[in-house]
Amino acid sequence: IGVIRKGRKETRTRKDGSTYEQPVDLKYFKVDFDVQEKITAEIFLQKYGPEPTDINIILPFNDIDACWSAFLEAYTAGRMVERSDGEKFTYLVDTKTGEIKVKGGTPFTPYSEGQIVGHDYQNKPVKCRPVGRLKVIIPELARAAYLIVLTTSIHDIGNISGQLGAFKHLNSGRIAGIPLVLRRRPKMISTPGKDGVRV
């Protein structure tokens, strides 16, 4: 019934006057509900306000794979053209012809990190990026309907995967229905700096 994101896109203007969308990281969660969920969106806003940093959640399934997915994906003009599990392509489209080359992992096609998987409409190379999706239910909405927590951070993906595995181990295989809190918190990470030195 909606998507929970860590950022938003803002329209920026180039020197030549053309515009482009720039991703902007936020210090809170941006929660967007389906257009048909106006009442649900109002309930959420009353409970959490416009800039929530903590959201009460429960997971809908005991199977981690049913709640959580993480892949490497590439898009052109809003269409997914590649999905990989990090070792092989599970979906691959020829960006020139639109022909589907790999579907459901068949035929087996190995994936290499940083590989160019095609070109966009401006003929710029397209590479994949990590995408994680977590299905969550917000108890205060009193709905057996889930939202998708979306992240493209490799750090988030590793953290969420580790947390879910730990919860399942500690609770004898059960993760559905356990009260959890989705939190937005800053964390120090290593990033490329000047001259290739990480900072």
Side-chain angles (χ1 to χ4, degrees), residues 50-88:
E51 299 181 358
T53 56
D54 297 73
I55 301 174
N56 296 322
I57 62 167
I58 58 174
L59 301 174
F61 310 107
N62 280 321
D63 182 4
I64 290 175
D65 288 341
C67 296
W68 170 241
S69 68
F71 294 99
L72 296 164
E73 298 176 354
Y75 292 81
T76 60
R79 176 189 181 193
M80 186 172 70
V81 296
E82 180 274 337
R83 176 177 275 175
S84 168
D85 61 10
E87 296 179 0
K88 66 181 184 305

Side-chain angles (χ1 to χ4, degrees), residues 26-56:
L26 301 171
K27 294 182 178 179
Y28 55 89
F29 290 111
K30 183 178 183 300
V31 182
D32 296 314
F33 286 92
D34 184 275
V35 292
Q36 298 176 355
E37 297 290 339
K38 290 181 181 177
I39 294 172
T40 306
E42 289 172 9
I43 294 169
F44 180 87
L45 189 61
Q46 288 173 5
K47 168 66 181 172
Y48 290 102
E51 299 181 358
T53 56
D54 297 73
I55 301 174
N56 296 322

